[in-house]
Amino acid sequence: MNFSLTEEQELIQQAARDFAQNDLFPEVIERDEAQRFPKEEVRKMGELGFLGMMVDPKYGGSGLDTLSYVLVMEELSKVDASSSVIVSVNNSLVCWGLETYGTEEQKEKYLTRLSTGEIIGAFCLSEPEAGSDATSQKTTAIDKGDHYVINGTKNWITNGSSAEVYLVIAQTDKDKKHKGINALIVEKGAEGFEIGPKENKLGIRGSDTHSLIFNDVKVPKKNRIGDDGFGFKFAMKTLAGGRIGIAAQALGIAAGAYELALKYSKERKAFGTEISNHQAIAFKLADMHTQIEAARHLVYKAAWDKDNGNDYDLSGAMAKLYASQVAMETTVEAVQIHGGNGFVKDYHVERLMRDAKITQIYEGTSEIQKIVISRSILKR
Ligand code: CAA
């Protein structure tokens, strides 16, 4: 076993830390309040290679390992989870899915631009009645010979209006249930493709989340990813890696809140001494530190599994389940340590607490992670 990062991984981690402090931090409160998408920041992240981190350089990517991606996600999420979810969806769900299962033509046309951040992508699986129960797709993609025709609505889509390329999961043959589902690449501006209103959210308010409406949208067959009926497996395989990215996001949110609480506890005085000298506060910090370190081990292990060709469905689900729980608990305690100041936006911890909640919901709720984990351990 080796718990050390390589020199390259340390440099990438430092680059992400510097970017988060210098570029994400200054306007993070304003973006959250105004629900403003970090357009300029996303452009810079593209330049830094954060949007196609694991993609082969021949398709414009950075050619790095999953652990490097996790380190970047962690550092960005300490400061701004709205920005890190954009990174996560583009890397794990869009670029990875296309690089792993796309045709050479699809990679040339889409991946090369997605991995450099010239454009960003969205992953469209959830529906009003198919969130956790993802096989119950109501959106249809009817086979018309050389093209499909898509009809239906997708919900809660990250990068909903800012994406240029959408990976849409839809039912082609209802009788075949999940084996009749396809994944199709839809371009922004396709006739009949409408972007619904922006959701007004509790957290990650800087990311743009929309419903998407498809009215007789024609998609050429060459835009299908994988063989006919591969769409559901495509979604499951892609989400298995996506969960490592969201686990890293949860870890970063927890670590960011902990670092703020630790600093504050050494500055703020009560009863004649810094509050960190009170055991009530010191024990909270001890619990937070221990839980974050445990979450970090699970997240890095899941990344290591993926990089070493091991199965990562189980380790990714455990990492997401635990890290998101730690994010929620740690951010609540960070607000508590800050007392009245914690309830005020200027101190950042209330935003981190609001941002933490989504990590227990998207890319599979905590309950779905328990389904994945229990099925995996019981089949052994
Ligand atoms: N890898 C490969 N195949 C998989 C798989 C995996 N990880 N998980 C399931 N499958 C396959 C199964 O083997 C099965 O195929 P066969 O019939 O050929 O054996 C098929 O998929 C159906 O599997 P199940 O019978 O297990 O299906 P189920 O209905 O019981 O559901 C589930 C399984 C795990 C609950 C799944 O529905 C699920 O993951 N739900 C949650 C969906 C989710 O995560 N949504 C997030 C939306 S995306 C998002 O949030 C992005 C964003 O914007 C941030």
Side-chain angles (χ1 to χ4, degrees):
M1 291 174 88
N2 180 359
F3 287 98
S4 314
L5 298 178
T6 63
E7 201 178 318
E8 187 184 47
Q9 287 163 343
E10 279 176 358
L11 284 171
I12 290 157
Q13 183 183 46
Q14 190 58 48
R17 196 172 286 158
D18 292 344
F19 175 78
Q21 272 315 315
N22 299 335
D23 293 80
L24 295 181
F25 183 72
E27 290 184 15
V28 66
I29 293 176
E30 289 78 2
R31 283 196 301 277
D32 173 72
E33 267 187 350
Q35 296 213 82
R36 197 175 79 232
F37 184 82
K39 199 168 172 209
E40 178 56 17
E41 292 76 5
V42 168
R43 192 192 60 73
K44 284 188 186 164
M45 289 196 285
E47 280 175 8
L48 285 166
F50 292 169
L51 291 173
M53 293 198 65
M54 296 166 287
V55 176
D56 190 320
K58 77 174 173 184
Y59 300 116
S62 304
L64 295 165
D65 57 6
T66 313
L67 186 53
S68 300
Y69 162 55
V70 156
L71 294 169
V72 168
M73 279 298 296
E74 185 182 344
E75 292 306 321
L76 301 178
S77 306
K78 282 181 185 174
V79 173
D80 184 11
S82 295
S83 293
S84 71
V85 70
I86 300 162
V87 172
S88 181
V89 167
N90 204 65
N91 274 283
S92 299
L93 302 185
V94 180
C95 287
W96 188 86
L98 273 175
E99 183 170 27
T100 310
Y101 300 110
T103 61
E104 209 44 46
E105 192 184 340
Q106 290 166 354
K107 291 182 204 180
E108 287 295 334
K109 185 164 180 197
Y110 300 109
L111 183 59
T112 46
R113 293 160 68 212
L114 287 160
S115 61
T116 54
E118 183 190 328
I119 56 170
I120 59 169
F123 182 82
C124 317
L125 172 69
S126 303
E127 296 188 356
E129 290 171 55
S132 292
D133 185 7
T135 56
S136 293
Q137 293 289 309
K138 298 278 188 301
T139 299
T140 53
I142 302 305
D143 190 337
K144 298 281 185 186
D146 65 344
H147 66 274
Y148 291 94
V149 174
I150 308 182
N151 276 291
T153 301
K154 293 288 173 185
N155 266 36
W156 313 294
I157 304 303
T158 303
N159 300 341
S161 69
S162 48
E164 295 289 331
V165 170
Y166 299 78
L167 307 188
V168 181
I169 316 294
Q171 188 83 49
T172 296
D173 188 339
K174 208 165 181 270
D175 294 340
K176 290 191 186 159
K177 298 185 175 154
H178 67 267
K179 292 187 171 137
I181 291 175
N182 279 309
L184 304 171
I185 305 169
V186 180
E187 293 181 25
K188 185 182 245 159
E191 207 182 324
F193 175 30
E194 266 175 60
I195 295 161
K198 188 170 176 167
E199 301 291 354
N200 187 359
K201 306 192 298 281
L202 170 76
I204 55 162
R205 288 169 56 81
S207 87
D208 65 321
T209 309
H210 291 256
S211 52
L212 303 175
I213 303 119
F214 300 85
N215 276 317
D216 288 333
V217 178
K218 271 174 83 172
V219 179
K221 247 191 187 151
K222 63 178 183 192
N223 278 23
R224 187 182 73 212
I225 304 174
D227 294 336
D228 184 31
F230 182 65
F232 191 72
K233 287 237 161 147
F234 169 79
M236 289 298 107
K237 293 264 190 202
T238 306
L239 278 168
R243 288 166 185 162
I244 302 175
I246 299 302
Q249 180 186 48
L251 169 64
I253 293 171
Y258 164 75
E259 284 171 17
L260 289 170
L262 181 68
K263 183 166 176 286
Y264 184 82
S265 73
K266 291 193 212 163
E267 290 164 2
R268 169 83 173 166
K269 286 191 176 158
F271 303 102
T273 184
E274 288 78 15
I275 60 171
S276 58
N277 292 326
H278 297 300
Q279 201 177 55
I281 301 299
F283 278 16
K284 279 190 200 300
L285 292 167
D287 283 339
M288 290 156 95
H289 185 74
T290 307
Q291 288 169 353
I292 290 167
E293 200 55 23
R296 186 171 284 123
H297 280 83
L298 280 175
V299 178
Y300 289 11
K301 169 65 166 50
W304 184 86
D305 276 339
K306 186 161 174 285
D307 287 333
N308 284 278
N310 301 336
D311 179 84
Y312 52 90
D313 284 5
L314 174 62
S315 53
M318 290 195 299
K320 181 177 183 293
L321 174 68
Y322 186 69
S324 61
Q325 183 186 319
V326 170
M328 210 53 244
E329 289 173 8
T330 305
T331 53
V332 167
E333 286 296 54
V335 171
Q336 192 69 15
I337 290 171
H338 280 75
N341 282 329
F343 212 62
V344 172
K345 289 188 187 289
D346 299 356
Y347 284 79
H348 297 277
V349 282
E350 65 81 34
R351 187 188 68 258
L352 290 165
M353 184 179 82
R354 288 186 284 107
D355 288 349
K357 187 60 205 169
I358 192 60
T359 65
Q360 293 186 308
I361 298 174
Y362 58 21
E363 302 207 17
T365 61
S366 295
E367 291 73 18
I368 291 295
Q369 305 314 318
K370 288 184 191 180
I371 291 180
V372 174
I373 295 164
S374 58
R375 283 184 183 172
S376 175
I377 55 182
L378 290 170
K379 81 177 177 206
R380 278 184 187 158

